[in-house]
Amino acid sequence: MKDLLFKRCIQLIMVAWGVGTLTFILMRSLPGDMAYRLAASRYGQDNFDSSTAELIRHELKLDQSAWSAYFSWLGDLLQLNLGNSMVSDLPVMDTLSHMLGHSLLLAGVGMAIAILLAFPLGLWAAKYGGWADRLTLLFSTSVRALPVFVIGVLLILVFSLELELLPVAGFGTPAHLILPSLALAISLAAVSSRIIRNEAKRVFDSSFFEFAQIKGLSTRKAFQRHGWRNLLVPVIAFFAIQLITVVEGVVMIESLFSWPGIGHGLAHAIFARDIPIIQGAALLMGIMFVVLNTLVDIISYYLDPRIKQEFSE
Amino acid sequence: MSFKKMNAALASLIILFASNAHAEAPTPENTIKVNAAFEFNSIDPSVSGYLYTRMQVLETLIDVDADGKLQAGLATSWSTSRDGLTWRLQLRDDVLFHNGDAMTAKDVVSSLNVAKRKQGPLRSAPIADISMGDTAQEVVITLTTPYKVLGAALAHYSASILPAGKYNFEDKLTELVGTGPYKLYEFKPPHKLVVEKFDQYWGQMASMPFASYLTGHRAEARVLQARSGQSDIVFGLDPAAAPMLARSNKVEIIKSKLPRTLVLKVNAAHPYLKEIEARQALSMAIERKGISMAVLRTPDSATTQLLPPSMSDWHISDAPSLDKNLDKARALLEQIGWKRNSDGMFERDGKPFALRLITYADRPELTTVATALQAQWKKLGVDLKVDITNSSAIPAGHQDGTLNLALIARNYGFIVDPLLTLIKDFGQESGGDWGSMNWHNPQIQVALKGLVNENNPDRYRATAQAFAEAVATELPVIPIASYTQQTSVNKRIEGFRFDPFERNFYLNKITIK
């Protein structure tokens, strides 16, 4: 266990440096003048011209060399200072924690609803097969084929316009959270229900499961004692990967529902060439990836006795 | 997780949300809810001031009425010396900032000095000095050359008045404190702003306790916000969605003309665009009425002029015809040596008439209009390549000379007096980032710049008309259509008023039924 955590700590430091450096190189090598981009984003299309771009170039010292910019960023990072946004001048940490908090809330609730939807669907399809399986496959394929944006609009049409139950967009109350997280959950459950179905089917068809039943356990008991653990290890690994896709991929949901999340914020920061925000967001996401993977490792460690053995050897 | 644990987790989540509630919190009943596309990201008036003057947190010394005439704001009156070099402004003496301090000449001098150092029209004004006058309520601005349009510059949001102590040594604003009928309540950039009624306002007190602003990035989501009644006022409706919304019995659609024009910026030094005939032929091949009907959904918005009839000095009443005329356009091109090849496309010296147009995606109609132009010019025999990029590519392309054509939506009412924008766009031969490019008409250009200190209204009008004529015939830019803002107003709102100069939402005049 200590070994695992130590490895992950080293990985965390390498990821932070690697991601930051890579974003720095990528952003610097994009075509177009950064000062012009920043001017357009900061002052709006009606209120900027080349003289504004020069003003920004001077103010943000954009004409310094790439090396000196890189080392000043690295120095700040070592002091855990992510700097200020080049567009809003607000501290990157404040902006990102506001956005990441909202994204995590949305992702967390979305994942929770997705789990509530995906497990019954997946298990149902695996247990009964036939029509049940084909029906869930149809659901899964058709939802997957729709952009998540369309699911969102459909939900708004039903729950906000027809039934007038929930707000269309915005944030700040629990009611505002329901539609975006439901849209996200439906799109997530489409894939994860199939993974669960496959894993459950693998368990149901396995010889150890058959043996448990021959031993005299009811299907229910056999599933509780021998099914769950076997099924969960790959499913949990899949959910962990999915959470990352969720956090970075909710751009459409976030802009449709005016939700102040990191996906939307990062997309805007890239349009604006707001390098500190891009670097900070990439850094946080990298760290989150490592932390989540560590969590999954720890859960798997407790779920799967084979891993424990591996580490003790 | 057991049910008990899950319940406990749920309960703590609910408490977390509930603890955010305020004793006198905004509710749907006591809040005017506004929704529009623009994001805000700073409290600095030079950056996001357009939102704070609209939401009535900040105010300027000089105000503007619906016709663009200057009016008293935080200054009750102003006068100019005989030589035009000294402006004296008398301040209102009953103005309190939201922190309770009285507004003095010191605050005004500090705010204007900061504005002069930042982005905005004051930065390019010929100001020598801004200082306190003889009395505590007087501010004196001294100029290096006469500048009749200083009043319009002072009415701009970047010249809003804030307390002197709120800027630090780097000119950074530490707190948003204004003088308007609403004060800041919740600031969550870039999406949400809530303002609360200020009880000690000097003018007409707001009747609604709160007003909120929510950024709606997607036009579809904004329409749904309006239809569901969750937003009271929704600006910038998608023209295609407005008729559907109009059938709802909950809202009223208000159409208002804006001094914003859809124009093609032309590089007049480009080998294919340097002859006036070529620009005229391209203009003649544009199906303006079709574009305004099918894309902008406002049939009367087609125009060949830069400025709308409401700015009458700058608008010619007997403008050239809007109708497309392909035969005449082709004849003009043939006059200057272009010949059609077997595919019907124009060629000269073995080279095809091919151009590159850039436009940006911030405004969805621009990309549609760009592709319409591509199809219409193909019929003429001109090959157009369209590049959708960031708006910053236009000033950058102007500066490095690589630009051929750009499709832009230019706001001539951004500063109340269009003259300042026009001088910036057309006042020099190199042109302006958002205006002409390499257009050579020194007589008109010098006369235009001279208008900043023209006191005779007849001479002013004559020059303005000559400028409008020159633009219409020489086409340094090619106007296509004017803009109509479509706003959805919920029927529970009373007293809504649209400001064509987009400086103010007039929230204090609104009541909810």
Side-chain angles (χ1 to χ4, degrees):
Chain A
M1 190 71 180
K2 263 185 200 160
D3 243 21
L4 189 146
L5 289 178
F6 178 72
K7 267 188 197 165
R8 292 296 191 192
C9 265
I10 300 286
Q11 203 183 9
L12 194 70
I13 296 168
M14 292 312 286
V15 164
W17 173 75
V19 164
T21 307
L22 196 64
T23 29
F24 185 86
I25 297 172
L26 288 177
M27 284 300 120
R28 286 265 163 178
S29 51
L30 282 175
D33 190 327
M34 219 169 105
Y36 278 87
R37 288 271 178 149
L38 285 166
S41 295
R42 191 192 280 190
Y43 295 105
Q45 183 245 310
D46 284 338
N47 189 22
F48 90 97
D49 54 27
S50 42
S51 70
T52 324
E54 293 319 312
L55 195 75
I56 286 197
R57 202 188 305 283
H58 178 72
E59 183 197 317
L60 299 174
K61 303 188 184 76
L62 294 179
D63 37 14
Q64 66 177 326
S65 77
W67 281 113
S68 96
Y70 175 71
F71 282 114
S72 85
W73 166 78
L74 203 61
D76 284 347
L77 182 68
L78 288 175
Q79 299 162 50
L80 299 179
N81 174 13
L82 293 180
N84 284 13
S85 157
M86 286 179 165
V87 173
S88 69
D89 204 30
L90 297 171
V92 170
M93 215 46 225
D94 293 0
T95 311
L96 286 180
S97 57
H98 171 68
M99 296 196 299
L100 193 66
H102 278 89
S103 278
L104 284 179
L105 183 66
L106 177 62
V109 176
M111 290 280 279
I113 303 176
I115 289 172
L116 292 179
L117 283 172
F119 269 97
L121 276 180
L123 291 177
W124 184 57
K127 185 155 196 303
Y128 297 101
W131 276 109
D133 197 14
R134 267 170 252 158
L135 213 64
T136 49
L137 181 65
L138 183 72
F139 156 79
S140 161
T141 326
S142 39
V143 168
R144 201 59 211 143
L146 286 179
V148 67
F149 169 69
V150 176
I151 302 174
V153 172
L154 288 176
L155 288 176
I156 293 176
L157 288 176
V158 175
F159 290 100
S160 306
L161 294 184
E162 286 307 315
L163 303 175
E164 295 187 6
L165 285 174
L166 294 165
V168 174
F171 58 99
T173 70
H176 283 107
L177 183 59
I178 299 175
L179 287 187
S181 55
L182 194 61
L184 188 62
I186 291 176
S187 119
L188 290 178
V191 183
S192 50
S193 69
R194 294 311 291 172
I195 302 278
I196 291 165
R197 178 254 174 213
N198 290 349
E199 289 308 319
K201 193 135 177 51
R202 182 180 58 82
V203 169
F204 291 147
D205 293 345
S206 66
S207 46
F208 69 81
F209 197 74
E210 201 180 345
F211 178 69
Q213 283 173 306
I214 294 169
K215 209 167 65 173
L217 291 178
S218 66
T219 315
R220 201 187 147 143
K221 270 265 153 66
F223 189 66
Q224 272 176 358
R225 297 258 173 92
H226 304 282
W228 267 118
R229 272 184 180 222
N230 265 299
L231 185 154
L232 277 181
V233 176
V235 169
I236 283 178
F238 176 75
F239 270 105
I241 297 170
Q242 222 186 7
L243 183 59
I244 293 294
T245 356
V246 169
V247 173
E248 62 186 24
V250 286
V251 183
M252 286 308 269
I253 294 210
E254 285 173 353
S255 62
L256 176 67
F257 290 98
S258 295
W259 190 263
I262 202 159
H264 174 80
L266 185 59
H268 269 242
I270 293 173
F271 293 144
R273 264 337 127 72
D274 193 350
I275 293 186
I277 294 274
I278 302 171
Q279 276 182 317
L283 200 69
L284 276 190
M285 285 190 187
I287 291 173
M288 216 163 66
F289 197 84
V290 176
V291 169
L292 282 174
N293 272 316
T294 312
L295 277 178
V296 171
D297 282 353
I298 293 171
I299 295 173
S300 308
Y301 183 84
Y302 284 108
L303 276 176
D304 189 347
R306 287 168 302 186
I307 303 180
K308 248 184 233 177
Q309 247 169 16
E310 224 171 88
F311 273 98
S312 59
E313 269 165 18
Chain B
M1 195 189 280
S2 72
F3 264 113
K4 246 186 194 169
K5 278 186 190 162
M6 209 139 97
N7 274 341
L10 261 180
S12 55
L13 202 70
I14 289 168
I15 290 168
L16 192 79
F17 275 121
S19 62
N20 280 335
H22 194 265
E24 282 175 320
T27 64
E29 287 71 38
N30 69 11
T31 309
I32 311 166
K33 288 163 294 173
V34 183
N35 192 299
F38 38 84
E39 281 194 351
F40 58 101
N41 48 41
S42 164
I43 53 171
D44 193 313
S46 75
V47 180
S48 303
Y50 53 84
L51 184 63
Y52 309 126
T53 59
R54 291 182 207 192
M55 290 297 281
Q56 295 187 307
V57 175
L58 295 181
E59 291 179 309
T60 48
L61 290 180
I62 296 179
D63 232 337
V64 179
D65 69 9
D67 300 323
K69 294 223 163 54
L70 300 184
Q71 281 186 327
L74 293 176
T76 49
S77 63
W78 53 93
S79 57
T80 321
S81 63
R82 194 175 280 269
D83 59 5
L85 292 177
T86 311
W87 283 56
R88 286 178 181 276
L89 296 110
Q90 309 303 321
L91 306 181
R92 202 172 271 284
D93 55 12
D94 52 351
V95 178
L96 291 182
F97 284 112
H98 296 154
N99 60 7
D101 296 348
M103 181 190 79
T104 63
K106 192 179 161 211
D107 301 308
V108 175
V109 170
S110 144
S111 299
L112 297 184
N113 272 314
V114 172
K116 172 141 185 52
R117 291 191 287 268
K118 294 195 170 187
Q119 171 69 6
L122 277 188
R123 193 156 66 99
S124 47
I127 295 175
D129 181 56
I130 305 168
S131 55
M132 290 188 264
D134 302 335
T135 67
Q137 296 307 116
E138 190 182 59
V139 169
V140 182
I141 302 178
T142 351
L143 304 173
T144 51
T145 54
Y147 198 61
K148 229 177 62 97
V149 283
L150 183 67
L154 289 173
H156 189 257
Y157 61 70
S158 59
S160 296
I161 305 304
L162 289 96
K166 295 292 172 195
Y167 285 98
N168 71 10
F169 65 97
E170 281 179 308
D171 280 350
K172 276 190 187 167
L173 185 63
T174 51
E175 192 189 355
L176 185 63
V177 176
T179 56
Y182 281 100
K183 59 183 179 184
L184 203 64
Y185 175 82
E186 191 184 350
F187 176 71
K188 292 245 169 88
H191 285 91
K192 193 174 171 187
L193 179 79
V194 183
V195 294
E196 184 184 9
K197 177 180 172 183
F198 176 50
D199 290 322
Q200 288 156 294
Y201 182 53
W202 58 269
Q204 184 182 341
M205 205 79 83
S207 70
M208 297 308 298
F210 291 97
S212 70
Y213 173 81
L214 185 71
T215 312
H217 299 280
R218 304 206 60 89
E220 303 89 333
R222 288 204 299 278
V223 170
L224 296 173
Q225 288 271 50
R227 234 186 94 185
S228 68
Q230 268 141 35
S231 280
D232 295 313
I233 305 168
V234 179
F235 291 96
L237 293 177
D238 178 16
M244 181 268 285
L245 197 56
R247 286 197 291 275
S248 153
N249 54 6
K250 275 189 195 157
V251 302
E252 195 181 343
I253 305 288
I254 293 173
K255 290 186 180 184
S256 333
K257 288 254 177 229
L258 290 179
R260 185 189 283 281
T261 314
L262 188 68
V263 298
L264 262 176
K265 175 183 167 73
V266 178
N267 178 359
H270 187 276
Y272 302 165
L273 295 166
K274 62 174 193 256
E275 294 112 336
I276 292 177
E277 289 84 354
R279 307 199 291 263
Q280 285 173 337
L282 290 175
S283 172
M284 237 173 244
I286 299 173
E287 175 73 61
R288 289 184 173 78
K289 282 181 185 158
I291 288 175
S292 61
M293 189 116 77
V295 183
L296 306 172
R297 308 261 175 157
T298 40
D300 60 341
S301 64
T303 183
T304 51
Q305 300 201 56
L306 222 44
L307 294 174
S310 60
M311 292 173 168
S312 59
D313 280 349
W314 300 93
H315 186 90
I316 10 180
S317 37
D318 49 347
S321 146
L322 280 170
D323 293 329
K324 177 171 102 163
N325 191 338
L326 277 186
D327 293 336
K328 211 168 155 194
R330 286 190 188 122
L332 278 170
L333 288 181
E334 277 155 10
Q335 264 178 39
I336 50 171
W338 291 96
K339 290 202 171 54
R340 293 175 81 192
N341 64 17
S342 53
D343 299 331
M345 303 302 277
F346 278 102
E347 277 181 5
R348 191 166 66 182
D349 307 328
K351 286 187 190 140
F353 198 149
L355 294 165
R356 178 170 165 265
L357 178 145
I358 57 175
T359 191
Y360 45 97
D362 309 31
R363 295 181 160 268
E365 70 280 2
L366 292 182
T367 47
T368 326
V369 173
T371 46
L373 288 176
Q374 190 177 37
Q376 290 167 11
W377 286 356
K378 196 174 175 191
K379 279 189 193 155
L380 171 71
V382 172
D383 182 33
L384 184 69
K385 184 172 177 285
V386 175
D387 271 349
I388 315 288
T389 167
N390 183 274
S391 60
S392 64
I394 293 162
H398 179 98
Q399 292 299 325
D400 63 21
T402 54
L403 189 132
N404 294 183
L405 292 158
L407 184 66
I408 58 181
R410 185 69 170 144
N411 183 358
Y412 295 100
F414 180 66
I415 304 164
V416 171
D417 191 329
L419 179 61
L420 280 173
T421 310
L422 292 173
I423 289 176
K424 229 175 168 185
D425 286 0
F426 299 93
Q428 37 282 316
E429 190 180 338
S430 60
D433 289 336
W434 297 97
S436 63
M437 183 169 176
N438 306 312
W439 174 47
H440 183 72
N441 190 336
Q443 202 189 342
I444 288 289
Q445 284 162 329
V446 169
L448 185 67
K449 278 194 279 195
L451 287 183
V452 284
N453 65 58
E454 177 59 76
N455 287 319
N456 181 324
D458 291 334
R459 277 203 299 266
Y460 186 99
R461 184 177 160 79
T463 308
Q465 288 279 306
F467 168 78
E469 290 281 358
V471 170
T473 47
E474 297 178 21
L475 296 168
V477 298
I478 305 176
I480 296 173
S482 60
Y483 267 84
T484 300
Q485 166 89 277
Q486 307 213 45
T487 312
S488 145
V489 181
N490 197 290
K491 286 190 179 153
R492 74 176 191 138
I493 292 284
E494 245 169 39
F496 173 79
R497 191 176 137 195
F498 184 79
D499 174 8
F501 294 95
E502 298 182 279
R503 299 174 69 255
N504 200 330
F505 290 155
Y506 299 112
L507 299 171
N508 62 335
K509 299 191 176 2
I510 288 178
T511 52
I512 291 181
K513 280 181 213 166

